[in-house]
Amino acid sequence: MRDVQGQDTSGSLPTEPSGFVGREREVGAVLGELGSSRLVTLRGPGGVGKTRIAWQVAARADLAHGCRWVDLASVCDGSLVGQAVITALGLQDQTGRSSVAVLTECLAGRDVLLVLDTCEHLRDECASLAGALLAALPGLRILATSRAALGVCGESIVPVGPMSTGPEGDALALLTARMEQAGPAGEPSPNRVPAHDEPDELARLCGALEGIPLAIELAAPLLRTVSAQQLNRQLAEHLDLLSPGTPSDTDLTAVRPRHAGLRTSIGWSHEWCTPNERLLWARLSVFPGSFTMTAMEFVCTIKPLFGYDLTDTLASLVNKSVVLREGPPGARRYRMLDTVREYGAEWLERLGLQDELRLRHRDLYRHLALTGGESWLGPRQPEVYRETAAEHANLRAALQHCLRTDTTAALHMAADLFYFWFACGNLREGRHFLDAALTVDAQHEPGRARALWVCAVVSSCQGEHRVALERATEALELATRTADTPAQAWATYAQGLALTLQGDTDPAQERFALALPLAETAGEEIAGLLCMASHSYLLMALGEHDRAQALAEQVLVRAAPTQDIWARSFGHYVLGTLDTVRGHPARAIPALRTALEAKWLLNDAYGIAITLDTLALAAVDDGQAEWAAWLLGLGDQVWRRVGVPQLGAPDMVERRGTCEQRTRDALPPSAYEHHHRAGFTLDTSTADVPAQLRGPYLPA
């Protein structure tokens, strides 16, 4: 498969947790519908296998530009649906444009399959986005999975029901496969004596579970310790094995008759859990996405589990297929399927623990945001970025909880994540949460000034300089009234940044000159470094090369003891650009490669893009025209993700145009196109820095 830019998209699909069994008829039906309909919805109850079928369809679909998978299960705020799609496509649009505008520009003229998985809780928003994109993009096809149809004009609905049961049915094949894959989790119990008619008993069990895949997946681990005959006997004796007092399913099964089989199987798994396993299951339901062992221990170890080592308890839930493992052992994460999580959430609510657990979840991720910001200036920057990105869904949920319950906490947490918003390519979502926190703050709570200057910097990076100046000015006024020197320093810097980007050079220099001593007085090292880096860039643009070089070198000297790579990357970028415009390309290339590697490690798409443009110019001036064409192609790929090439800045546009013309002049047209396309189609879906870009931060 090829992605929206012509590259391999194998990384765009989630890893399938276990082998696919049966369902060939359904897969074929969906592929057939996609041939004639541009919106196909797999509709069916939870646990019936919609996601697995969609995965197979996406893997087999033959579209010129491949597919992109969007998992919406952990997205609880409908206003973030568009952002979730943008993120899944690898876009990092820095502007304030609507999600539809960004996606329409990216996908224009391309034949792409977009999979929207788990839409039911965001049905209206998914329907609105799908309708707008399909109207604007004739080459787009959308495959949705949902418990209800989206209701979009032209939608083709493929009902997904249970697997076929009986001796030759897919259900029995799935049960048999899962029993073989599971392997022994322990010694069989003394009464585990296989019946002579075991195959028939297994088929009966599949029928009793109504052929629902998730029900079968949950039943398979139980067959390690008891026979199918025993399970069938218990099913015959108890129409529902849910423990007494479980919420009634009468209304639910009246609407979806077959859903009772799944509820029975989930309740069955619950029945076979120990009390501690049941309690942990309920408590884990507060995690909207995946989680780590450390997170589980913090959130879930309250009475009566306080002081318990939950490692074995979690392992037992994994063996029972209640919890799924993902990732390598060194970075192991865990998650629950939506239907299983919903069941746990019901029990958590009945136990009256949902508020306490959600508060602990919020506090954990508030702490992660705080410590990430505090440790950002230092040697752990790439690690902090990776840790924060892995917890994106949990951070989003914690922020939403703050917005509902605690204005001050919302302001602080949104501001604490400044590094994730504007250093790691998440400007749009950062702007969303910062604006929301500032809107709900009617009393000017503590933390407002900080949230304002963070929002100002984010807005500047999006190109909304008027908004940025308004936010920065309000922050400065508030910080001055409250004698908040750190906020004064940052707000003054934010004013200088906005003025620089909108071309008001004299007042920008004045702001930087005021901000630097304020930052030094307040001990705000990051603000001081950014102030010097931004000022050096402004001086370079004004042609004051010596002053620009002196400031850039000062950035490197002051940041070196911290082993920071983010702030230093700005200094290396300015120095490399200065050497390029001064006619010293061989000296410029190492500095630009160093800047580029740092920005790549931190997912700073805008920084990557502007540095690629300058590195390409240095390469062609150094006689490496083929490499320059490759760099221009890669730059065009990254600028497509960023949104607006060169952000429309005149000096950047001119430099990029000069580079392209020189490179085309140095190469035959066919050679230019070949190398440009090689860069444009490079697979950038992993965090690995391409060998052609490596600097000193990674081994050669």
Side-chain angles (χ1 to χ4, degrees):
M1 292 184 298
R2 315 299 290 178
D3 79 348
V4 294
Q5 291 159 357
Q7 65 199 52
D8 183 79
T9 61
S10 56
S12 67
L13 290 177
T15 302
E16 205 172 18
S18 52
F20 188 73
V21 178
R23 297 293 206 182
E24 291 300 325
R25 181 182 61 81
E26 289 90 341
V27 171
V30 177
L31 287 169
E33 288 294 328
L34 283 171
S36 57
S37 177
R38 296 177 57 218
L39 172 60
V40 178
T41 299
L42 288 168
R43 184 188 65 190
V48 81
K50 301 183 296 294
T51 297
R52 286 294 189 90
I53 294 170
W55 195 99
Q56 287 294 319
V57 171
R60 303 181 196 185
D62 184 19
L63 278 83
H65 300 98
C67 85
R68 276 292 184 238
W69 186 281
V70 186
D71 182 1
L72 296 172
S74 64
V75 180
C76 300
D77 185 344
S79 63
L80 292 175
V81 169
Q83 178 59 40
V85 179
I86 287 172
T87 301
L89 266 66
L91 303 175
Q92 293 174 318
D93 184 81
Q94 307 282 13
T95 68
R97 297 180 299 163
S98 71
S99 298
V100 171
V102 173
L103 293 168
T104 299
E105 180 180 81
C106 168
L107 299 172
R110 299 177 183 277
D111 296 328
V112 181
L113 175 64
L114 184 64
V115 182
L116 302 178
D117 187 36
T118 314
C119 297
E120 55 270 3
H121 61 303
L122 305 164
R123 179 178 176 274
D124 291 345
E125 293 83 1
C126 288
S128 176
L129 180 66
L133 292 179
L134 291 170
L137 299 165
L140 177 67
R141 284 174 173 75
I142 296 177
L143 174 61
T145 72
S146 179
R147 298 181 189 181
L150 299 187
V152 177
C153 181
E155 176 183 21
S156 177
I157 299 170
V158 177
V160 180
M163 286 180 149
S164 57
T165 58
E168 304 299 327
D170 284 347
L172 180 57
L174 176 63
L175 179 60
T176 303
R178 295 300 180 257
M179 289 170 61
E180 292 173 350
Q181 290 171 358
E187 293 300 321
S189 62
N191 61 352
R192 176 65 171 100
V193 181
H196 293 299
D197 58 347
E198 186 82 3
D200 291 340
E201 292 291 344
L202 291 174
R204 280 185 57 205
L205 179 60
C206 291
L209 296 174
E210 298 168 311
I212 298 177
L214 179 55
I216 293 168
E217 299 263 7
L218 291 171
L222 302 179
L223 293 169
R224 300 166 182 160
T225 54
V226 297
S227 69
Q229 186 180 46
Q230 288 173 291
L231 293 183
N232 280 320
R233 186 183 306 122
Q234 291 186 13
L235 276 172
E237 293 171 353
H238 306 284
L239 294 177
D240 194 335
L241 289 179
L242 298 177
S243 300
T246 299
S248 172
D249 295 309
T250 304
D251 295 338
L252 186 62
T253 56
V255 177
R256 293 191 288 265
R258 294 186 181 275
H259 204 62
L262 176 58
R263 293 287 301 191
T264 297
S265 184
I266 296 177
W268 200 354
S269 293
H270 196 262
E271 180 79 4
W272 282 87
C273 288
T274 66
N276 280 356
E277 290 167 2
R278 295 177 192 175
L279 195 54
L280 182 58
W281 180 347
R283 293 178 179 185
L284 290 174
S285 68
V286 300
F287 292 98
S290 64
F291 56 90
T292 64
M293 182 82 72
T294 301
M296 174 198 71
E297 290 170 346
F298 178 87
V299 173
C300 300
T301 51
I302 57 174
K303 291 182 179 180
L305 297 180
F306 183 76
Y308 274 81
D309 181 356
L310 296 178
T311 304
D312 291 341
T313 309
L314 180 63
S316 183
L317 290 177
V318 171
N319 286 336
K320 290 179 169 70
S321 296
V322 173
V323 174
L324 304 179
R325 274 187 308 215
E326 56 186 28
R332 181 74 75 202
R333 298 186 68 85
Y334 302 85
R335 66 181 177 89
M336 290 194 291
L337 295 176
D338 297 339
T339 309
V340 176
R341 185 189 302 111
E342 290 168 4
Y343 187 87
E346 290 178 13
W347 274 94
L348 191 67
E349 185 173 0
R350 285 185 61 80
L351 293 169
L353 294 173
Q354 69 273 24
D355 290 341
E356 183 177 4
L357 267 293
R358 287 171 185 158
L359 184 61
R360 289 180 69 84
H361 178 276
R362 185 205 74 173
D363 288 347
L364 172 63
Y365 291 101
R366 275 194 66 190
H367 180 72
L368 186 147
L370 175 64
T371 56
E374 290 176 341
S375 62
W376 181 246
L377 186 67
R380 292 187 64 250
Q381 283 174 346
E383 184 181 349
V384 170
Y385 160 64
R386 290 192 298 269
E387 290 173 353
T388 309
E391 300 292 359
H392 200 154
N394 287 306
L395 289 165
R396 185 186 292 134
L399 276 164
Q400 289 166 339
H401 189 277
C402 289
L403 288 170
R404 292 192 300 269
T405 63
D406 190 335
T407 299
T408 301
L411 288 167
H412 281 293
M413 186 173 179
D416 287 338
L417 285 164
F418 72 93
Y419 66 97
F420 193 55
W421 305 143
F422 61 76
C424 304
N426 292 284
L427 293 177
R428 295 174 67 88
E429 191 160 343
R431 178 72 179 278
H432 168 85
F433 281 115
L434 288 160
D435 281 347
L438 291 165
T439 299
V440 299
D441 174 31
Q443 304 299 322
H444 283 208
E445 297 285 347
R448 181 176 180 85
R450 187 160 176 257
L452 281 165
W453 69 251
V454 175
C455 189
V457 175
V458 168
S459 299
S460 281
C461 295
Q462 290 182 302
E464 297 191 22
H465 311 311
R466 181 187 59 80
V467 174
L469 277 173
E470 290 174 356
R471 295 295 202 193
T473 300
E474 184 183 348
L476 183 57
E477 292 172 352
L478 182 56
T480 302
R481 285 202 308 270
T482 58
D484 184 348
T485 307
Q488 285 180 277
W490 275 105
T492 306
Y493 162 71
Q495 287 180 319
L497 179 64
L499 291 165
T500 296
L501 293 176
Q502 72 177 21
D504 292 337
T505 57
D506 289 341
Q509 292 198 72
E510 177 191 345
R511 294 287 91 191
F512 290 143
L514 290 171
L516 184 56
L518 283 170
E520 292 171 338
T521 300
E524 290 290 322
E525 188 69 13
I526 297 177
L529 289 170
L530 289 181
C531 188
M532 289 189 293
S534 299
H535 196 183
S536 68
Y537 177 85
L538 174 58
L539 291 170
M540 178 179 65
L542 291 172
E544 298 188 38
H545 293 170
D546 291 341
R547 288 182 64 197
Q549 180 174 336
L551 266 180
E553 289 174 344
Q554 193 176 352
V555 170
L556 299 182
V557 170
R558 289 184 57 166
T562 68
Q563 299 182 51
D564 159 276
I565 65 173
W566 182 53
R568 279 190 288 170
S569 72
F570 292 103
H572 286 300
Y573 169 73
V574 171
L575 291 174
T577 305
L578 281 170
D579 280 332
T580 301
V581 300
R582 285 168 162 173
H584 305 297
R587 192 166 63 199
I589 288 172
L592 293 168
R593 275 183 134 164
T594 300
L596 190 54
E597 182 183 305
K599 295 177 184 303
W600 197 283
L601 289 171
L602 301 175
N603 198 39
D604 179 3
Y606 170 68
I608 292 170
I610 62 173
T611 309
L612 281 169
D613 281 357
T614 307
L615 182 57
L617 181 58
V620 71
D621 287 351
D622 193 46
Q624 303 183 63
E626 293 180 349
W627 186 36
W630 183 88
L631 289 165
L632 288 171
L634 180 57
D636 284 343
Q637 179 191 150
V638 179
W639 278 118
R640 182 182 289 275
R641 298 205 310 268
V642 169
V644 180
Q646 291 76 47
L647 290 185
D651 60 322
M652 294 184 188
V653 171
E654 181 181 1
R655 191 179 305 134
R656 173 60 167 75
T658 299
C659 177
E660 180 175 346
Q661 188 58 54
R662 290 181 186 174
T663 307
R664 286 184 179 277
D665 290 344
L667 293 171
S670 59
Y672 177 87
E673 296 300 332
H674 170 78
H675 293 291
H676 182 277
R677 179 160 183 78
F680 188 76
T681 58
L682 180 73
D683 183 2
T684 58
S685 61
T686 71
D688 294 336
V689 182
Q692 299 93 325
L693 307 179
R694 288 178 182 268
Y697 296 121
L698 290 175

